[in-house]
Amino acid sequence: EQAPPESNGSPKITDKQRKRMYAIARDRGMNDTQFKDELIRMGYKSSTDVLMSEYEDVCSFFESWSA
């Protein structure tokens, strides 16, 4: 289990990036609850808390997710 991410001065992702991340998850067959649960498991309260510096890693996780 990962510790909650710290900002360390990194800005949070944009609305467009958040929507892309969600679309990736949906394309992999994830429903809303699964998407939220995975974000919480990663230490985020919501998709608006994802940092720019961690965005690609989070997207990669969703791209590799399988039901």
Side-chain angles (χ1 to χ4, degrees):
E1 187 172 333
Q2 294 177 325
E6 295 180 11
S7 66
N8 295 331
S10 181
K12 294 183 180 176
I13 61 173
T14 66
D15 209 39
K16 185 176 179 180
Q17 287 172 309
R18 189 176 55 76
K19 288 176 183 175
R20 177 179 174 260
M21 185 174 59
Y22 179 72
I24 291 168
R26 294 291 296 185
D27 286 346
R28 299 298 297 159
M30 217 179 246
N31 64 36
D32 292 349
T33 301
Q34 291 167 318
F35 178 72
K36 290 174 187 173
D37 287 348
E38 290 298 339
L39 285 172
I40 289 168
R41 191 184 63 73
M42 287 185 256
Y44 301 106
K45 291 179 184 170
S46 80
S47 60
T48 58
D49 293 331
V50 176
L51 304 175
M52 288 274 197
S53 61
E54 297 167 339
Y55 172 70
E56 289 301 326
D57 290 337
V58 174
C59 285
S60 292
F61 168 80
F62 286 122
E63 287 168 348
S64 66
W65 188 85
S66 60

